[in-house]
């Protein structure tokens, strides 16, 4: 049962972001909060926008499309981020609907998005979603043990170079989801590995952009900030628990 207002919950998260940033010598201004509005109505997004948060995370193309249709006229400054798995057959709609896609997890999907992004006025900003923990339930390029296994790292770097060459996409960095576990330090290890992977890609595919690290959710955003997150994706701590089985 959440008794606080949205403004109070947002203030608590912003204090948490500031504390985590300061603790690791970073500026809170370098960390952008994405309000994960999946399952919540357009009215919740309008309420968040009135408090100054204009980045929204959605995990379903259809749902985001409906909310954008409701909000575009009154809230043209909102930035819509796709954070959920994307099927190739929805690539066209996604390429035209979203301001950034965090969940590019295959060369095939990147190529499909690239074809449709040609219809946009400017290239489509994307992040590559990586699964460095090896958790079976996670989407993303499968990269467990990439640091010690050149048979994993090398083909990945080659695919990334192909994605970086697609003219209608712009890579901005990486996205990851930490494993669901109570094991202390597991989330932080995932974020650390993701940051090292970003640094490796920045050296090996230098003509792409590698500034952004989208990592950290309600339960683990402080660890993500300590490891360099530039986008954190917060749902429950802002909007409360979601209905079950709805992402
Ligand atoms: C739902 C979701 C979030 C938000 O998670 P919370 O635990 O509610 O903060 C962040 N990222 C992704 C990819 C999600 O699917």
């Amino acid at each position: 049962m959440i008794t606080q207002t949205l403004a109070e919950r947002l203030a608590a998260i912003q204090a948490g972001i500031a504390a985590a940033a300061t603790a690791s010598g970073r500026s809170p201004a370098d960390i952008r909060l994405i309000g994960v509005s999946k399952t919540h109505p357009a009215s919740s997004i309008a309420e968040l926008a009135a408090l100054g948060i204009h980045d929204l995370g959605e995990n379903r193309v259809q749902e985001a499309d409906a909310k954008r249709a409701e909000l575009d006229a009154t809230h043209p400054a909102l930035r819509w981020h796709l954070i959920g798995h994307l099927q190739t057959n929805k690539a066209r709609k996604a390429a035209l609907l979203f301001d950034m896609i965090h969940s590019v997890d295959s060369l095939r999907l990147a190529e499909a998005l690239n074809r449709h992004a040609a219809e946009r006025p400017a290239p489509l900003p994307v992040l590559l979603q990586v699964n460095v923990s090896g958790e079976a339930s996670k989407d993303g390029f499968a990269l467990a043990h990439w640091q010690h296994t050149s048979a994993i790292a090398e083909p990945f770097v080659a695919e990334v170079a192909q994605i970086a060459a697609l003219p209608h996409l712009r890579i901005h960095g990486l996205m990851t989801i930490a494993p669901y576990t109570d094991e202390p330090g597991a989330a932080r290890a995932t974020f650390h590995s993701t940051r090292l992977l970003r640094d490796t890609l920045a050296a090996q595919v230098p003509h792409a952009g590698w500034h952004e690290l989208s990592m950290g959710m309600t339960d683990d955003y402080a660890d993500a900030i300590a490891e360099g997150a530039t986008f954190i994706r917060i749902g429950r701590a802002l909007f409360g628990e979601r209905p079950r089985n709805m992402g």
Side-chain angles (χ1 to χ4, degrees):
M1 183 72 193
I2 296 209
T3 53
Q4 290 173 304
T5 65
L6 183 63
E8 287 167 337
R9 281 175 259 140
L10 175 60
I13 294 161
Q14 284 171 329
I17 292 171
T22 307
S24 49
R26 304 184 59 204
S27 165
D30 294 338
I31 297 144
R32 269 155 308 155
L33 171 62
I34 295 177
V36 176
S37 46
K38 64 188 184 193
T39 75
H40 298 285
S43 58
S44 298
I45 295 174
E47 220 189 316
L48 193 64
L51 297 168
I53 302 299
H54 293 99
D55 289 281
L56 287 325
E58 291 281 342
N59 66 340
R60 288 179 188 178
V61 175
Q62 216 55 47
E63 184 181 335
D65 191 29
K67 290 180 196 172
R68 260 203 102 143
E70 270 189 71
L71 289 162
D72 263 354
T74 50
H75 295 79
L78 292 175
R79 290 178 294 270
W80 297 79
H81 301 259
L82 180 64
I83 60 173
H85 180 66
L86 178 61
Q87 287 163 358
T88 309
N89 63 4
K90 295 191 178 136
R92 178 171 189 273
K93 194 159 214 172
L96 302 179
L97 185 65
F98 288 97
D99 297 295
M100 179 177 270
I101 294 186
H102 293 227
S103 47
V104 173
D105 59 2
S106 70
L107 176 58
R108 187 167 156 265
L109 176 60
E111 287 170 340
L113 285 168
N114 178 64
R115 271 195 302 282
H116 300 297
E119 295 176 49
R120 294 170 60 99
L124 173 64
V126 299
L127 305 178
L128 307 181
Q129 183 175 354
V130 296
N131 177 352
V132 296
S133 72
E135 193 186 11
S137 63
K138 288 284 176 289
D139 298 315
F141 286 95
L143 289 161
H145 312 297
W146 68 271
Q147 290 176 73
H148 332 283
T149 318
S150 57
I152 292 171
E154 282 172 13
F156 176 61
V157 170
E159 283 198 348
V160 171
Q162 283 180 266
I163 296 172
L166 297 171
H168 306 296
L169 301 189
R170 285 282 178 283
I171 299 176
H172 286 246
L174 299 181
M175 180 273 227
T176 202
I177 303 174
Y180 295 107
T181 166
D182 293 334
E183 199 185 309
R188 180 134 184 191
T190 294
F191 299 143
H192 184 70
S193 177
T194 301
R195 177 205 195 131
L196 292 179
L197 180 58
R198 187 274 305 270
D199 295 345
T200 298
L201 291 167
Q204 300 199 13
V205 191
H207 50 288
W210 297 108
H211 177 72
E212 307 291 359
L213 284 174
S214 170
M215 53 191 202
M217 315 182 3
T218 289
D219 293 329
D220 54 23
Y221 74 84
D223 278 344
I225 289 171
E227 293 294 344
T230 60
F231 282 119
I232 60 169
R233 311 178 306 265
I234 304 293
R236 287 171 298 138
L238 269 178
F239 295 116
E241 294 294 330
R242 288 177 290 275
R244 295 185 82 182
N245 303 322
M246 289 194 66

